[in-house]
Amino acid sequence: MDIDKNIDTVVDYLLNTDNVSVLTGAGISAESGISTFRDPDGLWSKFNPQELASIDGFMSNPELVWSWYQYRVNIVNNSIPNPGHYALAEFQNLIKNFSLITQNVDGLHQRAGSKNVVELHGSIVRNKCFDCNKIHTSKIVEHNKISNCIYCNGKIRPDVVWFGEILPRHEIELAQIYAENSKVYFSVGTSAEVYPAADLPLIAKRNGAKLIEINPNDTQLTSFVDVKINLNSGIALPLILEKYKEKKGI
Ligand code: APR
């Protein structure tokens, strides 16, 4: 199928519904200069996730884990949202029931203007106490060394979901409700390999949603989708938005 035809099909889906959900992964931030995880040059080709993104890793070497996250925070702070992020923020103002669920921890959706973003895996720009879970703003945290909790003196850690940890209950339940009720569901920039997030597009499909994947590569979700757009999201999403506005006469 050619890309223009696919985009027209997606726009027609959008024109005939007011209930849309979008699940994003690291790919949507790739054009902002933030590495993905599983691409050939991704983070997991350079770093060991079990050593740096797990409770055991933090317990055995908190300084190493902390410094790796501060390295990533620095990259995020020096990055800006790209046209893909901005297109989703604009869609939120155009479609009545538009929900954005992300696996990303970089906060770029919020910086692009998206509201009520469901962060399934937490946020790298937020910290919490390893023991009592109380949130600590970045003002309290000294970035070059681990700080201690001002409430219980426990060690401060990034407020992200590590391998082996459960996702925040409210966020995953909300994401499942969105998946069950959406009429159009996008999977954007994710390899669809990490559960339970990877289940969400399939839940949407099972509940009758039109399923669209935006990814320059195929994934294990690709064979289930109604429309596959083999483009970078920073190109595809603004194209869809422009066609949608044109057909809506906006
Ligand atoms: N536009 C769209 N998709 C892109 C782009 C782009 N510009 N660049 C890369 N991609 C795609 C890749 O083809 C790949 O399928 O983005 C996907 C990124 O996959 P992963 O690196 O596996 O990232 P993600 O799916 O978000 O990982 C899920 O795994 O390690 C954990 O917690 C981490 O949230 C992360 C989770």
Side-chain angles (χ1 to χ4, degrees), residues 25-47 68 71-72 75-76 79 104-106 108 124 189:
I28 197 167
S29 295
E31 289 152 275
S32 295
I34 297 178
S35 295
T36 64
F37 294 96
R38 295 173 185 79
D39 281 330
D41 59 346
L43 282 179
W44 299 150
S45 68
K46 303 182 186 97
F47 301 102
W68 184 65
Y71 153 76
R72 289 179 62 196
I75 291 170
V76 165
S79 304
N104 298 343
V105 295
D106 58 30
L108 289 188
I124 203 170

PDB file of all heavy atoms in Angstrom, residues 25-47 68 71-72 75-76 79 104-106 108 124 189:
ATOM      1  N   GLY A  25       6.240   5.209  22.059  1.00  0.00           N
ATOM      2  CA  GLY A  25       7.465   4.622  22.585  1.00  0.00           C
ATOM      3  C   GLY A  25       8.649   5.496  22.207  1.00  0.00           C
ATOM      4  O   GLY A  25       8.493   6.590  21.654  1.00  0.00           O
ATOM      5  N   ALA A  26       9.825   4.976  22.497  1.00  0.00           N
ATOM      6  CA  ALA A  26      11.070   5.751  22.351  1.00  0.00           C
ATOM      7  C   ALA A  26      11.258   6.309  20.944  1.00  0.00           C
ATOM      8  O   ALA A  26      11.906   7.333  20.749  1.00  0.00           O
ATOM      9  CB  ALA A  26      12.254   4.871  22.734  1.00  0.00           C
ATOM     10  N   GLY A  27      10.669   5.662  19.944  1.00  0.00           N
ATOM     11  CA  GLY A  27      10.851   6.108  18.557  1.00  0.00           C
ATOM     12  C   GLY A  27      10.363   7.514  18.313  1.00  0.00           C
ATOM     13  O   GLY A  27      10.921   8.233  17.481  1.00  0.00           O
ATOM     14  N   ILE A  28       9.323   7.961  19.067  1.00  0.00           N
ATOM     15  CA  ILE A  28       8.809   9.306  18.816  1.00  0.00           C
ATOM     16  C   ILE A  28       9.802  10.377  19.278  1.00  0.00           C
ATOM     17  O   ILE A  28       9.779  11.506  18.792  1.00  0.00           O
ATOM     18  CB  ILE A  28       7.416   9.535  19.445  1.00  0.00           C
ATOM     19  CG1 ILE A  28       6.759  10.780  18.812  1.00  0.00           C
ATOM     20  CG2 ILE A  28       7.500   9.681  20.973  1.00  0.00           C
ATOM     21  CD1 ILE A  28       5.294  10.947  19.094  1.00  0.00           C
ATOM     22  N   SER A  29      10.703   9.995  20.180  1.00  0.00           N
ATOM     23  CA  SER A  29      11.711  10.968  20.639  1.00  0.00           C
ATOM     24  C   SER A  29      13.032  10.848  19.896  1.00  0.00           C
ATOM     25  O   SER A  29      13.961  11.630  20.123  1.00  0.00           O
ATOM     26  CB  SER A  29      11.945  10.809  22.153  1.00  0.00           C
ATOM     27  OG  SER A  29      10.752  11.138  22.864  1.00  0.00           O
ATOM     28  N   ALA A  30      13.127   9.844  18.992  1.00  0.00           N
ATOM     29  CA  ALA A  30      14.396   9.646  18.256  1.00  0.00           C
ATOM     30  C   ALA A  30      14.770  10.896  17.464  1.00  0.00           C
ATOM     31  O   ALA A  30      15.933  11.298  17.419  1.00  0.00           O
ATOM     32  CB  ALA A  30      14.268   8.434  17.329  1.00  0.00           C
ATOM     33  N   GLU A  31      13.750  11.561  16.872  1.00  0.00           N
ATOM     34  CA  GLU A  31      14.060  12.763  16.055  1.00  0.00           C
ATOM     35  C   GLU A  31      14.341  13.979  16.942  1.00  0.00           C
ATOM     36  O   GLU A  31      14.633  15.057  16.434  1.00  0.00           O
ATOM     37  CB  GLU A  31      12.898  13.035  15.087  1.00  0.00           C
ATOM     38  CG  GLU A  31      12.837  11.987  13.966  1.00  0.00           C
ATOM     39  CD  GLU A  31      11.438  11.796  13.435  1.00  0.00           C
ATOM     40  OE1 GLU A  31      10.680  11.005  14.030  1.00  0.00           O
ATOM     41  OE2 GLU A  31      11.115  12.410  12.404  1.00  0.00           O
ATOM     42  N   SER A  32      14.245  13.793  18.244  1.00  0.00           N
ATOM     43  CA  SER A  32      14.696  14.845  19.172  1.00  0.00           C
ATOM     44  C   SER A  32      16.108  14.562  19.650  1.00  0.00           C
ATOM     45  O   SER A  32      16.629  15.258  20.523  1.00  0.00           O
ATOM     46  CB  SER A  32      13.740  14.922  20.381  1.00  0.00           C
ATOM     47  OG  SER A  32      12.448  15.334  19.964  1.00  0.00           O
ATOM     48  N   GLY A  33      16.704  13.496  19.102  1.00  0.00           N
ATOM     49  CA  GLY A  33      18.095  13.167  19.464  1.00  0.00           C
ATOM     50  C   GLY A  33      18.223  12.284  20.673  1.00  0.00           C
ATOM     51  O   GLY A  33      19.312  12.136  21.240  1.00  0.00           O
ATOM     52  N   ILE A  34      17.099  11.676  21.113  1.00  0.00           N
ATOM     53  CA  ILE A  34      17.158  10.793  22.289  1.00  0.00           C
ATOM     54  C   ILE A  34      17.172   9.337  21.800  1.00  0.00           C
ATOM     55  O   ILE A  34      16.291   8.938  21.035  1.00  0.00           O
ATOM     56  CB  ILE A  34      15.955  11.052  23.220  1.00  0.00           C
ATOM     57  CG1 ILE A  34      16.022  12.500  23.749  1.00  0.00           C
ATOM     58  CG2 ILE A  34      15.926  10.053  24.380  1.00  0.00           C
ATOM     59  CD1 ILE A  34      14.870  12.901  24.636  1.00  0.00           C
ATOM     60  N   SER A  35      18.191   8.584  22.224  1.00  0.00           N
ATOM     61  CA  SER A  35      18.340   7.209  21.726  1.00  0.00           C
ATOM     62  C   SER A  35      17.143   6.347  22.092  1.00  0.00           C
ATOM     63  O   SER A  35      16.580   6.481  23.178  1.00  0.00           O
ATOM     64  CB  SER A  35      19.584   6.562  22.361  1.00  0.00           C
ATOM     65  OG  SER A  35      20.731   7.207  21.942  1.00  0.00           O
ATOM     66  N   THR A  36      16.798   5.445  21.163  1.00  0.00           N
ATOM     67  CA  THR A  36      15.810   4.429  21.526  1.00  0.00           C
ATOM     68  C   THR A  36      16.556   3.335  22.311  1.00  0.00           C
ATOM     69  O   THR A  36      17.727   3.499  22.656  1.00  0.00           O
ATOM     70  CB  THR A  36      15.194   3.827  20.239  1.00  0.00           C
ATOM     71  OG1 THR A  36      16.248   3.164  19.527  1.00  0.00           O
ATOM     72  CG2 THR A  36      14.571   4.902  19.362  1.00  0.00           C
ATOM     73  N   PHE A  37      15.851   2.260  22.595  1.00  0.00           N
ATOM     74  CA  PHE A  37      16.469   1.185  23.399  1.00  0.00           C
ATOM     75  C   PHE A  37      16.969   0.034  22.529  1.00  0.00           C
ATOM     76  O   PHE A  37      18.074  -0.488  22.728  1.00  0.00           O
ATOM     77  CB  PHE A  37      15.438   0.664  24.418  1.00  0.00           C
ATOM     78  CG  PHE A  37      15.062   1.697  25.439  1.00  0.00           C
ATOM     79  CD1 PHE A  37      13.922   2.485  25.273  1.00  0.00           C
ATOM     80  CD2 PHE A  37      15.873   1.909  26.549  1.00  0.00           C
ATOM     81  CE1 PHE A  37      13.582   3.456  26.215  1.00  0.00           C
ATOM     82  CE2 PHE A  37      15.544   2.886  27.493  1.00  0.00           C
ATOM     83  CZ  PHE A  37      14.405   3.659  27.312  1.00  0.00           C
ATOM     84  N   ARG A  38      16.125  -0.383  21.547  1.00  0.00           N
ATOM     85  CA  ARG A  38      16.439  -1.634  20.840  1.00  0.00           C
ATOM     86  C   ARG A  38      16.860  -1.438  19.389  1.00  0.00           C
ATOM     87  O   ARG A  38      17.019  -2.406  18.672  1.00  0.00           O
ATOM     88  CB  ARG A  38      15.223  -2.589  20.925  1.00  0.00           C
ATOM     89  CG  ARG A  38      14.970  -3.014  22.366  1.00  0.00           C
ATOM     90  CD  ARG A  38      13.698  -3.818  22.563  1.00  0.00           C
ATOM     91  NE  ARG A  38      13.516  -4.068  23.992  1.00  0.00           N
ATOM     92  CZ  ARG A  38      13.041  -3.180  24.855  1.00  0.00           C
ATOM     93  NH1 ARG A  38      12.651  -1.978  24.419  1.00  0.00           N
ATOM     94  NH2 ARG A  38      12.944  -3.423  26.149  1.00  0.00           N
ATOM     95  N   ASP A  39      16.982  -0.188  18.942  1.00  0.00           N
ATOM     96  CA  ASP A  39      17.533   0.005  17.592  1.00  0.00           C
ATOM     97  C   ASP A  39      19.002  -0.395  17.607  1.00  0.00           C
ATOM     98  O   ASP A  39      19.609  -0.486  18.688  1.00  0.00           O
ATOM     99  CB  ASP A  39      17.357   1.477  17.161  1.00  0.00           C
ATOM    100  CG  ASP A  39      15.917   1.758  16.698  1.00  0.00           C
ATOM    101  OD1 ASP A  39      15.285   0.819  16.182  1.00  0.00           O
ATOM    102  OD2 ASP A  39      15.443   2.885  16.873  1.00  0.00           O
ATOM    103  N   PRO A  40      19.592  -0.607  16.453  1.00  0.00           N
ATOM    104  CA  PRO A  40      20.993  -1.061  16.422  1.00  0.00           C
ATOM    105  C   PRO A  40      21.951  -0.190  17.247  1.00  0.00           C
ATOM    106  O   PRO A  40      22.851  -0.670  17.897  1.00  0.00           O
ATOM    107  CB  PRO A  40      21.340  -1.006  14.928  1.00  0.00           C
ATOM    108  CG  PRO A  40      20.033  -1.169  14.227  1.00  0.00           C
ATOM    109  CD  PRO A  40      18.985  -0.554  15.112  1.00  0.00           C
ATOM    110  N   ASP A  41      21.665   1.133  17.310  1.00  0.00           N
ATOM    111  CA  ASP A  41      22.560   2.006  18.105  1.00  0.00           C
ATOM    112  C   ASP A  41      21.880   2.403  19.420  1.00  0.00           C
ATOM    113  O   ASP A  41      22.239   3.389  20.050  1.00  0.00           O
ATOM    114  CB  ASP A  41      22.889   3.271  17.297  1.00  0.00           C
ATOM    115  CG  ASP A  41      21.604   4.034  16.925  1.00  0.00           C
ATOM    116  OD1 ASP A  41      20.502   3.414  17.080  1.00  0.00           O
ATOM    117  OD2 ASP A  41      21.690   5.218  16.516  1.00  0.00           O
ATOM    118  N   GLY A  42      20.878   1.616  19.810  1.00  0.00           N
ATOM    119  CA  GLY A  42      20.071   1.973  20.977  1.00  0.00           C
ATOM    120  C   GLY A  42      20.806   1.796  22.304  1.00  0.00           C
ATOM    121  O   GLY A  42      21.906   1.234  22.369  1.00  0.00           O
ATOM    122  N   LEU A  43      20.156   2.264  23.378  1.00  0.00           N
ATOM    123  CA  LEU A  43      20.781   2.242  24.707  1.00  0.00           C
ATOM    124  C   LEU A  43      21.190   0.834  25.129  1.00  0.00           C
ATOM    125  O   LEU A  43      22.262   0.612  25.699  1.00  0.00           O
ATOM    126  CB  LEU A  43      19.813   2.844  25.743  1.00  0.00           C
ATOM    127  CG  LEU A  43      19.693   4.364  25.780  1.00  0.00           C
ATOM    128  CD1 LEU A  43      18.671   4.781  26.838  1.00  0.00           C
ATOM    129  CD2 LEU A  43      21.050   5.031  26.066  1.00  0.00           C
ATOM    130  N   TRP A  44      20.328  -0.142  24.807  1.00  0.00           N
ATOM    131  CA  TRP A  44      20.651  -1.500  25.276  1.00  0.00           C
ATOM    132  C   TRP A  44      21.764  -2.147  24.474  1.00  0.00           C
ATOM    133  O   TRP A  44      22.215  -3.246  24.792  1.00  0.00           O
ATOM    134  CB  TRP A  44      19.388  -2.379  25.304  1.00  0.00           C
ATOM    135  CG  TRP A  44      18.296  -1.910  26.218  1.00  0.00           C
ATOM    136  CD1 TRP A  44      16.968  -2.097  26.042  1.00  0.00           C
ATOM    137  CD2 TRP A  44      18.399  -1.149  27.438  1.00  0.00           C
ATOM    138  NE1 TRP A  44      16.237  -1.555  27.066  1.00  0.00           N
ATOM    139  CE2 TRP A  44      17.101  -0.941  27.939  1.00  0.00           C
ATOM    140  CE3 TRP A  44      19.478  -0.626  28.167  1.00  0.00           C
ATOM    141  CZ2 TRP A  44      16.825  -0.245  29.115  1.00  0.00           C
ATOM    142  CZ3 TRP A  44      19.212   0.067  29.336  1.00  0.00           C
ATOM    143  CH2 TRP A  44      17.914   0.256  29.807  1.00  0.00           C
ATOM    144  N   SER A  45      22.231  -1.455  23.407  1.00  0.00           N
ATOM    145  CA  SER A  45      23.415  -2.006  22.700  1.00  0.00           C
ATOM    146  C   SER A  45      24.699  -1.487  23.366  1.00  0.00           C
ATOM    147  O   SER A  45      25.797  -1.971  23.108  1.00  0.00           O
ATOM    148  CB  SER A  45      23.400  -1.558  21.231  1.00  0.00           C
ATOM    149  OG  SER A  45      23.615  -0.146  21.156  1.00  0.00           O
ATOM    150  N   LYS A  46      24.524  -0.478  24.253  1.00  0.00           N
ATOM    151  CA  LYS A  46      25.708   0.135  24.884  1.00  0.00           C
ATOM    152  C   LYS A  46      25.763  -0.121  26.394  1.00  0.00           C
ATOM    153  O   LYS A  46      26.817  -0.106  27.007  1.00  0.00           O
ATOM    154  CB  LYS A  46      25.697   1.657  24.644  1.00  0.00           C
ATOM    155  CG  LYS A  46      25.652   2.071  23.176  1.00  0.00           C
ATOM    156  CD  LYS A  46      25.702   3.597  23.045  1.00  0.00           C
ATOM    157  CE  LYS A  46      25.496   4.021  21.589  1.00  0.00           C
ATOM    158  NZ  LYS A  46      24.094   4.394  21.336  1.00  0.00           N
ATOM    159  N   PHE A  47      24.535  -0.258  26.980  1.00  0.00           N
ATOM    160  CA  PHE A  47      24.480  -0.396  28.436  1.00  0.00           C
ATOM    161  C   PHE A  47      23.704  -1.667  28.799  1.00  0.00           C
ATOM    162  O   PHE A  47      22.860  -2.124  28.032  1.00  0.00           O
ATOM    163  CB  PHE A  47      23.767   0.818  29.052  1.00  0.00           C
ATOM    164  CG  PHE A  47      24.430   2.142  28.752  1.00  0.00           C
ATOM    165  CD1 PHE A  47      23.911   2.988  27.779  1.00  0.00           C
ATOM    166  CD2 PHE A  47      25.577   2.538  29.441  1.00  0.00           C
ATOM    167  CE1 PHE A  47      24.505   4.218  27.494  1.00  0.00           C
ATOM    168  CE2 PHE A  47      26.176   3.774  29.172  1.00  0.00           C
ATOM    169  CZ  PHE A  47      25.647   4.611  28.191  1.00  0.00           C
ATOM    170  N   TRP A  68      24.140   7.270  35.745  1.00  0.00           N
ATOM    171  CA  TRP A  68      23.647   6.949  34.392  1.00  0.00           C
ATOM    172  C   TRP A  68      22.346   7.679  34.123  1.00  0.00           C
ATOM    173  O   TRP A  68      22.122   8.231  33.050  1.00  0.00           O
ATOM    174  CB  TRP A  68      23.457   5.435  34.245  1.00  0.00           C
ATOM    175  CG  TRP A  68      23.053   5.037  32.858  1.00  0.00           C
ATOM    176  CD1 TRP A  68      23.787   5.162  31.717  1.00  0.00           C
ATOM    177  CD2 TRP A  68      21.805   4.443  32.454  1.00  0.00           C
ATOM    178  NE1 TRP A  68      23.078   4.702  30.632  1.00  0.00           N
ATOM    179  CE2 TRP A  68      21.868   4.242  31.050  1.00  0.00           C
ATOM    180  CE3 TRP A  68      20.651   4.055  33.142  1.00  0.00           C
ATOM    181  CZ2 TRP A  68      20.814   3.683  30.334  1.00  0.00           C
ATOM    182  CZ3 TRP A  68      19.598   3.492  32.430  1.00  0.00           C
ATOM    183  CH2 TRP A  68      19.696   3.315  31.034  1.00  0.00           C
ATOM    184  N   TYR A  71      23.046  11.300  33.479  1.00  0.00           N
ATOM    185  CA  TYR A  71      23.555  11.405  32.100  1.00  0.00           C
ATOM    186  C   TYR A  71      22.367  11.485  31.144  1.00  0.00           C
ATOM    187  O   TYR A  71      22.311  12.349  30.257  1.00  0.00           O
ATOM    188  CB  TYR A  71      24.458  10.187  31.819  1.00  0.00           C
ATOM    189  CG  TYR A  71      24.575   9.732  30.382  1.00  0.00           C
ATOM    190  CD1 TYR A  71      25.355  10.445  29.472  1.00  0.00           C
ATOM    191  CD2 TYR A  71      23.908   8.583  29.937  1.00  0.00           C
ATOM    192  CE1 TYR A  71      25.457  10.022  28.145  1.00  0.00           C
ATOM    193  CE2 TYR A  71      24.002   8.166  28.625  1.00  0.00           C
ATOM    194  CZ  TYR A  71      24.771   8.888  27.731  1.00  0.00           C
ATOM    195  OH  TYR A  71      24.854   8.463  26.416  1.00  0.00           O
ATOM    196  N   ARG A  72      21.356  10.647  31.391  1.00  0.00           N
ATOM    197  CA  ARG A  72      20.162  10.653  30.513  1.00  0.00           C
ATOM    198  C   ARG A  72      19.319  11.916  30.754  1.00  0.00           C
ATOM    199  O   ARG A  72      18.763  12.495  29.812  1.00  0.00           O
ATOM    200  CB  ARG A  72      19.337   9.391  30.740  1.00  0.00           C
ATOM    201  CG  ARG A  72      19.997   8.124  30.197  1.00  0.00           C
ATOM    202  CD  ARG A  72      19.152   6.898  30.476  1.00  0.00           C
ATOM    203  NE  ARG A  72      17.852   6.994  29.807  1.00  0.00           N
ATOM    204  CZ  ARG A  72      16.806   6.213  30.141  1.00  0.00           C
ATOM    205  NH1 ARG A  72      16.913   5.339  31.146  1.00  0.00           N
ATOM    206  NH2 ARG A  72      15.665   6.324  29.497  1.00  0.00           N
ATOM    207  N   ILE A  75      20.789  14.675  28.759  1.00  0.00           N
ATOM    208  CA  ILE A  75      20.447  14.569  27.325  1.00  0.00           C
ATOM    209  C   ILE A  75      19.018  15.088  27.103  1.00  0.00           C
ATOM    210  O   ILE A  75      18.761  15.902  26.202  1.00  0.00           O
ATOM    211  CB  ILE A  75      20.569  13.102  26.838  1.00  0.00           C
ATOM    212  CG1 ILE A  75      22.040  12.691  26.819  1.00  0.00           C
ATOM    213  CG2 ILE A  75      19.923  12.915  25.466  1.00  0.00           C
ATOM    214  CD1 ILE A  75      22.274  11.209  26.592  1.00  0.00           C
ATOM    215  N   VAL A  76      18.103  14.662  27.981  1.00  0.00           N
ATOM    216  CA  VAL A  76      16.698  15.086  27.857  1.00  0.00           C
ATOM    217  C   VAL A  76      16.577  16.599  28.015  1.00  0.00           C
ATOM    218  O   VAL A  76      15.910  17.281  27.230  1.00  0.00           O
ATOM    219  CB  VAL A  76      15.824  14.352  28.905  1.00  0.00           C
ATOM    220  CG1 VAL A  76      14.460  15.009  29.065  1.00  0.00           C
ATOM    221  CG2 VAL A  76      15.656  12.883  28.529  1.00  0.00           C
ATOM    222  N   SER A  79      17.376  18.390  24.977  1.00  0.00           N
ATOM    223  CA  SER A  79      16.600  18.019  23.779  1.00  0.00           C
ATOM    224  C   SER A  79      15.325  18.848  23.749  1.00  0.00           C
ATOM    225  O   SER A  79      14.885  19.373  24.770  1.00  0.00           O
ATOM    226  CB  SER A  79      16.233  16.526  23.827  1.00  0.00           C
ATOM    227  OG  SER A  79      17.402  15.755  23.954  1.00  0.00           O
ATOM    228  N   ASN A 104       7.473   6.472  27.380  1.00  0.00           N
ATOM    229  CA  ASN A 104       8.663   7.312  27.495  1.00  0.00           C
ATOM    230  C   ASN A 104       8.705   8.017  28.850  1.00  0.00           C
ATOM    231  O   ASN A 104       7.673   8.282  29.455  1.00  0.00           O
ATOM    232  CB  ASN A 104       8.708   8.339  26.360  1.00  0.00           C
ATOM    233  CG  ASN A 104       8.795   7.678  24.999  1.00  0.00           C
ATOM    234  OD1 ASN A 104       9.127   6.491  24.900  1.00  0.00           O
ATOM    235  ND2 ASN A 104       8.456   8.414  23.963  1.00  0.00           N
ATOM    236  N   VAL A 105       9.907   8.300  29.277  1.00  0.00           N
ATOM    237  CA  VAL A 105      10.109   8.942  30.594  1.00  0.00           C
ATOM    238  C   VAL A 105      10.732  10.327  30.429  1.00  0.00           C
ATOM    239  O   VAL A 105      11.176  10.938  31.389  1.00  0.00           O
ATOM    240  CB  VAL A 105      11.010   8.051  31.492  1.00  0.00           C
ATOM    241  CG1 VAL A 105      10.322   6.728  31.816  1.00  0.00           C
ATOM    242  CG2 VAL A 105      12.384   7.792  30.851  1.00  0.00           C
ATOM    243  N   ASP A 106      10.750  10.821  29.161  1.00  0.00           N
ATOM    244  CA  ASP A 106      11.512  12.048  28.883  1.00  0.00           C
ATOM    245  C   ASP A 106      10.710  13.334  29.027  1.00  0.00           C
ATOM    246  O   ASP A 106      11.280  14.433  28.962  1.00  0.00           O
ATOM    247  CB  ASP A 106      12.138  11.960  27.467  1.00  0.00           C
ATOM    248  CG  ASP A 106      11.087  11.756  26.365  1.00  0.00           C
ATOM    249  OD1 ASP A 106       9.937  12.212  26.525  1.00  0.00           O
ATOM    250  OD2 ASP A 106      11.408  11.117  25.349  1.00  0.00           O
ATOM    251  N   LEU A 108       8.839  14.851  27.013  1.00  0.00           N
ATOM    252  CA  LEU A 108       8.754  15.704  25.814  1.00  0.00           C
ATOM    253  C   LEU A 108       7.314  15.926  25.354  1.00  0.00           C
ATOM    254  O   LEU A 108       6.997  16.966  24.789  1.00  0.00           O
ATOM    255  CB  LEU A 108       9.592  15.109  24.659  1.00  0.00           C
ATOM    256  CG  LEU A 108      11.119  15.187  24.838  1.00  0.00           C
ATOM    257  CD1 LEU A 108      11.818  14.760  23.547  1.00  0.00           C
ATOM    258  CD2 LEU A 108      11.576  16.584  25.230  1.00  0.00           C
ATOM    259  N   ILE A 124      11.760  10.423  34.054  1.00  0.00           N
ATOM    260  CA  ILE A 124      13.175  10.538  34.428  1.00  0.00           C
ATOM    261  C   ILE A 124      13.471  11.900  35.063  1.00  0.00           C
ATOM    262  O   ILE A 124      14.479  12.077  35.739  1.00  0.00           O
ATOM    263  CB  ILE A 124      14.038  10.328  33.162  1.00  0.00           C
ATOM    264  CG1 ILE A 124      15.456   9.879  33.521  1.00  0.00           C
ATOM    265  CG2 ILE A 124      14.064  11.552  32.278  1.00  0.00           C
ATOM    266  CD1 ILE A 124      16.236   9.440  32.313  1.00  0.00           C
ATOM    267  N   GLY A 189       6.140   4.503  17.272  1.00  0.00           N
ATOM    268  CA  GLY A 189       7.528   4.497  17.741  1.00  0.00           C
ATOM    269  C   GLY A 189       7.823   3.534  18.869  1.00  0.00           C
ATOM    270  O   GLY A 189       8.626   3.831  19.753  1.00  0.00           O
TER     271      GLY A 189
END
